[in-house]
Amino acid sequence: MKLGKWIALLALVLISTFSIMTTIHAEEDAKIKRAEDMALADKDVEKADKVVAYVNNIPITSGEYLSCYASAQYSNTLLQQDANKLGPQGKKIAENASKLFAKYPPETRALAQVLADTAIYSEAIKKGLLKSEQEVTEYIQSVRKMEDSSPELKKIVEVLGEERYWNDLLPRLVKKNLTIGALKTQIISEQKDWAQYKYELVKNAELKIVDTNLITSSKEEVLKYLQEKEEIFNSLF
């Protein structure tokens, strides 16, 4: 092969490698930035712990809502990145989800997240599925082992500090998520439609917004969003 062809081939390889590495770094940067923004929502303890709403009499803090809001802002970017790895169906999901995200702003999607999570958590508590402190502690110990291998986790701890994250925020989050998981497992084991079950819990939940300057969406908008989200998912299967 002539020298000119070798140079051209090498250039193509280098361009391809650079493109792949640029994509990888862009994905990592977006995930780390999301982690940082979510952590910043809880950095100021006094502001973060302020109650901004109630769902079934369970308080929702400013930190909880703003963390979900920060995550919602990155939803479309990260979805598009992941879709490229999932083939035609993944790209179709990303395309439909992009339209949904364009229609419903982060305010609505953030409220949908906290409303759904808390409504499910409330129901799980009623059913006696609240996780114990020991279960929470054991789970956190397993998470700590992953800190060195997770840039996002490192960023969160860096922003919030060891004490605030490991001993305050994470135990609350883990207890809630493990309890939600227990209810989900139970419902699925009963061969019920989890998505529909969750929707009904949200629909019947009592939402009281305390800070209307921060939370500007409504339960009605949340229900429309959740319905359309489910319709998009179902249309693909």
Side-chain angles (χ1 to χ4, degrees):
M1 186 180 288
K2 292 182 180 180
L3 180 59
K5 289 184 178 180
W6 273 111
I7 293 172
L9 179 60
L10 178 60
L12 284 172
V13 171
L14 289 173
I15 290 169
S16 177
T17 303
F18 178 76
S19 177
I20 292 169
M21 293 304 296
T22 300
T23 300
I24 290 171
H25 284 306
E27 291 178 9
E28 290 176 350
D29 288 347
K31 288 177 181 178
I32 292 171
K33 189 68 176 74
R34 178 184 62 175
E36 181 179 16
D37 287 354
M38 290 174 70
L40 285 170
D42 279 300
K43 186 170 177 62
D44 185 321
V45 178
E46 186 176 344
K47 289 181 180 178
D49 288 347
K50 177 188 173 186
V51 175
V52 296
Y54 290 90
V55 177
N56 294 342
N57 294 320
I58 295 175
I60 304 298
T61 65
S62 172
E64 285 179 275
Y65 173 78
L66 289 175
S67 181
C68 287
Y69 180 88
S71 180
Q73 286 184 304
Y74 288 90
S75 296
N76 199 34
T77 300
L78 294 173
L79 180 64
Q80 296 299 330
Q81 291 174 354
D82 290 339
N84 293 327
K85 308 170 189 173
L86 299 176
Q89 189 176 51
K91 289 180 180 178
K92 186 65 177 175
I93 291 172
E95 181 184 324
N96 290 336
S98 289
K99 294 175 183 176
L100 187 69
F101 294 158
K103 184 175 180 180
Y104 294 98
E107 291 86 349
T108 297
R109 289 182 275 129
L111 182 59
Q113 186 68 57
V114 294
L115 178 51
D117 284 353
T118 312
I120 297 164
Y121 183 57
S122 172
E123 185 67 15
I125 292 172
K126 286 181 186 177
K127 289 181 175 290
L129 298 173
L130 185 66
K131 291 297 179 177
S132 67
E133 296 304 321
Q134 182 179 345
E135 289 172 299
V136 170
T137 300
E138 288 174 356
Y139 186 86
I140 290 174
Q141 287 172 348
S142 69
V143 172
R144 290 202 80 141
K145 295 175 184 176
M146 297 168 19
E147 185 175 357
D148 289 338
S149 61
S150 172
E152 296 102 300
L153 181 54
K154 277 185 174 181
K155 176 56 70 174
I156 291 171
V157 175
E158 177 189 319
V159 171
L160 292 173
E162 295 272 343
E163 179 68 24
R164 171 76 167 152
Y165 181 69
W166 293 112
N167 299 329
D168 183 13
L169 288 176
L170 192 60
R172 283 188 272 163
L173 183 62
V174 167
K175 175 170 274 196
K176 191 171 190 176
N177 286 344
L178 290 181
T179 301
I180 288 171
L183 178 58
K184 182 176 180 179
T185 298
Q186 184 182 93
I187 296 304
I188 291 174
S189 71
E190 295 171 357
Q191 298 186 336
K192 294 178 182 176
D193 185 329
W194 170 247
Q196 185 58 38
Y197 183 87
K198 181 170 67 173
Y199 179 82
E200 290 300 322
L201 288 179
V202 174
K203 183 180 177 181
N204 295 322
E206 181 184 349
L207 171 65
K208 179 184 177 184
I209 297 174
V210 177
D211 189 342
T212 54
N213 291 319
L214 180 65
I215 302 178
T216 56
S217 191
S218 66
K219 183 179 174 182
E220 289 72 25
E221 280 297 293
V222 164
L223 291 173
K224 289 178 188 176
Y225 163 71
L226 292 176
Q227 245 180 349
E228 289 188 39
K229 181 181 176 183
E230 190 60 22
E231 285 169 6
I232 286 175
F233 182 77
N234 288 335
S235 68
L236 297 167
F237 297 96

